[in-house]
Amino acid sequence: MQNYITQISSTSGELYIAGKESESTEASLGPTIQMYQEEALGTAAIATAGYALLYGGRLSCLAATTLAVAAVLFIMQHSSKSALWETHGRAVLITGCDSGFGFHLAKRLDAMGFCVFAGCLFPEEQGAHLLAGTCSRRLKVIKLDVTKDDDVTQAKRFIQSNLPEKGLWAVVNNAGVTDWAETEWNSMSDYYRLAEVNLFGCIRTTVPFLPLIRSSQGRIVFMSSILAFFNCLNMGSYSISKRGLEAFADCLRVEMASFGVKVSLIQPGNFCPATNIVKQKTAQEIWDKLDENQQKMFNKQYIELANEYFKSTCKQGLKDINIVIDALVDALTSTKPKFRYLLVSRVDKVFFTILPYLPTFLSDAVFSLSPMYSKRRMMLYLPGKTSLEKF
């Protein structure tokens, strides 16, 4: 799960804080992303397998040749990929820069020569001051709560007054929040809270800047999640907000293509150890929110187990934040950015690539393989179940 440190609140403060002049504005694009090479090799492997099966009489010559040609074209397409090196004079707006992905992306783009407008929920706190103190004067911290129309209006006004010569190149919608709970544990305000930031916050921040992005034929990038398409236990409210975000991004991508604007989605897996996205809470806090019937159905032992399982899962996530930052940079600078960047381990990438194409009964059956899911079924209350059957 990606970093979504922005919360629904606002603070007072100056509109922006200018950073100090850096010693050098030249920097490399960072580590080269391997994802295109992996996909090209995978496609070539399919073609090779097709020829192997051909000799066994299982594929026609036409089918095998088609596979080979597709692999060659794919490799040629991505081997000619080039990066946008003219970063100077181009501006990028990033939301959610107080910490995590937004914070590190702002630093990387500033080092590359971009003019960065770093949207921070708390412009007077540590994250914003670190950006202002360690980056060049091109980076400007602006107060931006994506749930507030006034903040977006003021941010647009300030950005328009301080645009460099080549205009606004990109908007990176990184700000977001997360939470976990079973569907029945959430109140309507919980659903509204996540959607207000993760979905409507992105829409609110994107639409006003579309004319500027069209003028530069630039980029719009959205921070999504694998949970936009993976129906994970206890993550329903978060998944709803991210699935809605992807629908908005897909529609926008089709419309903006006519103007030469490219739209990309970043889909990180579990990056909890590298970010501050996870909302920590105790089993008692969850228990206290439940009514009498819910407490009977979801006994306290199960809630304690679920809470510990969630914490342990978060600790097992990916720790290298540069995997996500590299993908963001590629989406902003590649002449042929991907529509979606799936950022998980190599083993998980195979699973999540196949998952959308599985029949529903098979994708649902994946959960039955989880020890946690089995324990859940045993521990939940069912009428007529004896205490021995229950535990």
Side-chain angles (χ1 to χ4, degrees):
M1 294 174 288
Q2 67 286 22
N3 176 54
Y4 293 97
I5 47 79
T6 303
Q7 306 169 28
I8 303 182
S9 62
S10 64
T11 60
S12 60
E14 296 295 326
L15 181 61
Y16 80 97
I17 306 170
K20 68 179 182 181
E21 188 70 42
S22 65
E23 294 181 0
S24 173
T25 58
E26 299 298 330
S28 66
L29 286 175
T32 302
I33 299 176
Q34 300 296 323
M35 57 188 72
Y36 289 105
Q37 297 177 8
E38 293 173 3
E39 292 183 0
L41 289 173
T43 308
I46 293 174
T48 303
Y51 275 115
L53 290 174
L54 172 65
Y55 290 115
R58 297 184 182 182
L59 282 182
S60 66
C61 180
L62 178 61
T65 302
T66 301
L67 285 171
V69 171
V72 171
L73 290 176
F74 193 96
I75 294 172
M76 288 177 63
Q77 177 185 3
H78 292 295
S79 64
S80 62
K81 242 172 116 278
S82 60
L84 172 76
W85 289 103
E86 300 83 6
T87 58
H88 292 271
R90 298 180 190 270
V92 177
L93 168 63
I94 311 170
T95 66
C97 291
D98 300 77
S99 65
F101 296 146
F103 178 87
H104 290 281
L105 177 63
K107 294 192 69 172
R108 174 81 73 85
L109 295 184
D110 175 71
M112 292 171 59
F114 281 104
C115 173
V116 178
F117 294 101
C120 290
L121 183 63
F122 304 110
E124 297 298 331
E125 295 193 4
Q126 183 180 16
H129 284 292
L130 279 175
L131 284 176
T134 58
C135 295
S136 74
R137 291 190 179 277
R138 288 187 308 275
L139 184 142
K140 294 177 176 61
V141 174
I142 59 175
K143 180 183 178 298
L144 183 54
D145 181 341
V146 299
T147 69
K148 297 186 180 302
D149 292 332
D150 287 345
D151 275 21
V152 175
T153 299
Q154 290 183 40
K156 181 181 179 182
R157 186 180 300 118
F158 177 78
I159 289 171
Q160 285 182 305
S161 300
N162 292 272
L163 280 176
E165 57 184 291
K166 296 179 182 177
L168 183 65
W169 172 249
V171 173
V172 180
N173 288 279
N174 169 71
V177 291
T178 187
D179 199 358
W180 72 275
E182 295 225 358
T183 300
E184 293 180 69
W185 303 353
N186 286 317
S187 63
M188 284 307 299
S189 62
D190 293 324
Y191 288 103
Y192 281 125
R193 181 172 62 87
L194 267 67
E196 184 63 29
V197 179
N198 299 344
L199 173 56
F200 297 116
C202 291
I203 298 172
R204 182 178 289 108
T205 307
T206 298
V207 174
F209 290 98
L210 288 180
L212 296 175
I213 298 296
R214 273 199 298 265
S215 296
S216 65
Q217 293 188 317
R219 309 294 166 85
I220 303 171
V221 181
F222 296 93
M223 184 65 72
S224 183
S225 167
I226 59 170
L227 297 178
F229 59 88
F230 180 52
N231 310 318
C232 184
L233 188 69
N234 294 337
M235 295 300 294
S237 56
Y238 184 72
S239 292
I240 290 169
S241 66
K242 290 302 181 181
R243 190 169 295 189
L245 170 64
E246 294 219 351
F248 172 71
D250 286 339
C251 293
L252 186 65
R253 184 184 66 250
V254 174
E255 294 175 358
M256 290 296 105
S258 300
F259 303 103
V261 174
K262 296 178 172 61
V263 179
S264 296
L265 282 157
I266 310 297
Q267 298 174 317
N270 182 1
F271 280 84
C272 292
T275 68
N276 295 324
I277 184 177
V278 180
K279 181 180 180 181
Q280 298 289 346
K281 51 188 174 182
T282 66
Q284 187 63 47
E285 289 173 334
I286 301 171
W287 179 258
D288 291 341
K289 285 184 63 176
L290 306 184
D291 61 30
E292 184 178 348
N293 289 331
Q294 290 174 326
Q295 289 180 348
K296 185 178 181 181
M297 176 65 68
F298 303 98
N299 59 82
K300 198 168 186 179
Q301 284 179 292
Y302 168 66
I303 290 177
E304 290 172 347
L305 175 67
N307 194 39
E308 290 303 315
Y309 177 77
F310 184 78
K311 288 179 180 178
S312 67
T313 300
C314 291
K315 292 178 181 177
Q316 298 169 10
L318 299 171
K319 299 178 181 179
D320 186 5
I321 202 169
N322 285 316
I323 296 173
V324 178
I325 304 307
D326 289 345
L328 286 163
V329 171
D330 189 80
L332 294 171
T333 63
S334 172
T335 55
K336 298 176 182 177
K338 299 181 73 174
F339 299 138
R340 282 173 166 80
Y341 291 80
L342 180 60
L343 307 178
V344 293
S345 68
R346 294 193 178 191
V347 174
D348 287 345
K349 182 172 288 189
V350 175
F351 171 72
F352 285 117
T353 301
I354 297 172
L355 181 66
Y357 303 100
L358 293 178
T360 302
F361 78 91
L362 280 181
S363 59
D364 286 353
V366 170
F367 292 104
S368 65
L369 303 176
S370 167
M372 176 60 195
Y373 196 71
S374 300
K375 290 179 181 178
R376 178 183 183 275
R377 295 186 63 180
M378 294 175 60
M379 297 179 72
L380 298 185
Y381 170 79
L382 292 175
K385 181 187 286 186
T386 66
S387 59
L388 181 62
E389 291 174 324
K390 186 175 180 180
F391 298 106

